[in-house]
Amino acid sequence: MRPMKVGVLTGGGDCPGLNAVIRAVVRKGVRVHGFEFVGYRDGWKGPLEGETMPLGIEQCRGILPRGGTILGSSRTNPLKVPDGVERIRANLERDGVDALVAIGGEDTLGVATRLSEVGVKVVGVPKTIDNDLSGTDFTFGFDTAVNIATEAIDRLHTTAESHHRVLVVEVMGRHAGWIALHSGIAGGANIVLIPEQPFDIDEVCALVKSRFESRYAPILVVSEGAVPRDGTGMTLQSGDVDDFGHVRLGGIGDRLAQEIERRVGCEARAVVLGHVQRGGSPTAFDRWLATRLGLHAVDAVAEGEFGVMTALRGTRIVRVPLADATGVLKTVSPEEYAEAQVFFG
């Protein structure tokens, strides 16, 4: 009887900790369960087009502290391709793959959910710096992104004070403001603006004036998906739409800085952290979390429990249905946002 063969892929935006998951899945899968592995390149493009790479213990040496993913990634959506699901099933069968571990966020795991519904044996691992996946308390990559943003805010305080100017820090967060909220509190920001709570530009300018009156320069942190209360909508970097229907956001920081400068009469500058937040080496917490999620994912494969995602609940790793994990985005509640207001202004 041949050993079980497991495919592994990473989809969507890259994220610190992806390699730690791959390493954990492969090392335990080979050493404890006797599995063989194959890596699928560039997200769902791999199984869709049959693009593979060798994946064993040797390929996983030294990758724990590395950012990015040795498998590559993409935003390919096989559900938008005619007969995409059938092509994936056929390629998995051709490659002798018995089960699949899909590591990704809302979009990647949404595809995994659909494949599971038609009989593909798949286990999901939650990945996103945005921390917006339901079913898990934290996703790996989030802690690293928050630490990077916090360090940037720390550095910007001194230059803001030196030049008596407003600095607007734009961080990632399309529909959820977790990075902005956590880094804003940790970095001592004066104002945090998130997608869940449309902002009033007049109120923002009043807070800026108040901060200057106390002889300190304001720091604002804003999620890329934050929107004004006047209904003008998100700030788009371009009108391009990816395979999952997402437009490219960016520019709310510049938009705010220009408006503050015009209304308050002070100097204002925007700093866009962009992809810096998702690059580089993962923090210790993200290495720990990614490793544990990977170890439990390969155990789920060994136990024949498919259509699930590994998740962090408190300090325990549990398994939750993929459909529950991808059905609703986890966003900042009004209560959580209000709790932090005491620090703003």
Side-chain angles (χ1 to χ4, degrees):
M1 182 178 177
R2 71 173 178 83
M4 190 172 194
K5 192 172 185 180
V6 181
V8 183
L9 66 84
T10 54
D14 71 307
C15 170
L18 283 167
N19 286 323
V21 179
I22 297 167
R23 172 179 176 270
V25 167
V26 172
R27 284 169 68 98
K28 187 169 189 178
V30 171
R31 291 178 172 175
V32 176
H33 301 300
F35 294 163
E36 292 181 356
F37 289 90
V38 59
Y40 281 104
R41 294 183 180 275
D42 301 333
W44 289 114
K45 181 181 178 183
L48 183 67
E49 300 184 4
E51 297 183 7
T52 65
M53 63 172 278
L55 187 61
I57 289 178
E58 184 62 35
Q59 286 76 25
C60 294
R61 295 191 191 281
I63 68 173
L64 176 63
R66 282 175 55 183
T69 164
I70 61 170
L71 298 177
S73 191
S74 74
R75 295 194 180 276
T76 301
N77 183 359
L79 304 184
K80 299 273 290 203
V81 177
D83 72 355
V85 170
E86 289 307 314
R87 283 171 58 184
I88 287 178
R89 293 177 68 170
N91 283 329
L92 293 177
E93 185 175 349
R94 181 205 67 183
D95 297 333
V97 170
D98 302 296
L100 193 62
V101 174
I103 311 164
E106 172 199 9
D107 297 326
T108 300
L109 296 184
V111 174
T113 302
R114 174 65 183 132
L115 289 171
S116 177
E117 291 169 351
V118 298
V120 176
K121 294 178 179 179
V122 59
V123 172
V125 178
K127 170 246 45 165
T128 168
I129 67 170
D130 293 332
N131 198 42
D132 59 0
L133 270 176
S134 296
T136 184
D137 291 348
F138 287 100
T139 54
F140 69 87
F142 172 67
D143 186 69
T144 303
V146 168
N147 274 273
I148 290 168
T150 301
E151 182 180 353
I153 295 165
D154 286 345
R155 292 176 179 274
L156 291 169
H157 273 290
T158 54
T159 187
E161 297 294 345
S162 298
H163 292 274
H164 313 292
R165 62 163 63 112
V166 180
L167 283 175
V168 181
V169 185
E170 182 181 316
V171 300
M172 285 184 168
R174 176 181 296 276
H175 299 297
W178 295 109
I179 295 176
L181 186 63
H182 282 237
S183 65
I185 291 174
N190 308 108
I191 302 170
V192 173
L193 306 176
I194 62 176
E196 296 90 333
Q197 299 288 329
F199 64 87
D200 186 319
I201 188 62
D202 290 327
E203 292 178 4
V204 170
C205 289
L207 286 169
V208 167
K209 290 178 182 177
S210 173
R211 179 67 176 174
F212 274 125
E213 287 168 1
S214 66
R215 302 186 65 81
Y216 288 98
I219 298 281
L220 284 70
V221 178
V222 57
S223 296
E224 62 185 346
V227 294
R229 206 177 292 164
D230 62 15
T232 51
M234 291 182 174
T235 305
L236 306 184
Q237 191 176 90
S238 74
D240 297 338
V241 177
D242 68 16
D243 277 0
F244 291 93
H246 302 309
V247 293
R248 185 178 298 175
L249 300 181
I252 185 62
D254 279 321
R255 184 175 165 189
L256 268 170
Q258 291 170 16
E259 202 59 26
I260 290 168
E261 199 166 84
R262 184 178 69 83
R263 294 183 183 218
V264 181
C266 59
E267 189 178 3
R269 294 288 185 272
V271 177
V272 182
L273 297 186
H275 287 76
V276 170
Q277 295 159 91
R278 62 184 339 133
S281 188
T283 60
F285 178 85
D286 278 340
R287 297 181 199 191
W288 169 86
L289 177 57
T291 297
R292 291 189 69 203
L293 290 170
L295 295 175
H296 283 259
V298 80
D299 283 347
V301 173
E303 294 167 20
E305 188 173 356
F306 300 106
V308 297
M309 180 190 83
T310 54
L312 179 69
R313 295 278 181 86
T315 59
R316 296 177 59 243
I317 303 295
V318 299
R319 300 170 191 169
V320 298
L322 272 170
D324 292 351
T326 58
V328 180
L329 282 181
K330 182 180 68 179
T331 56
V332 178
S333 70
E335 293 76 19
E336 288 167 305
Y337 187 62
E339 190 177 73
Q341 294 299 300
V342 66
F343 297 109
F344 303 154

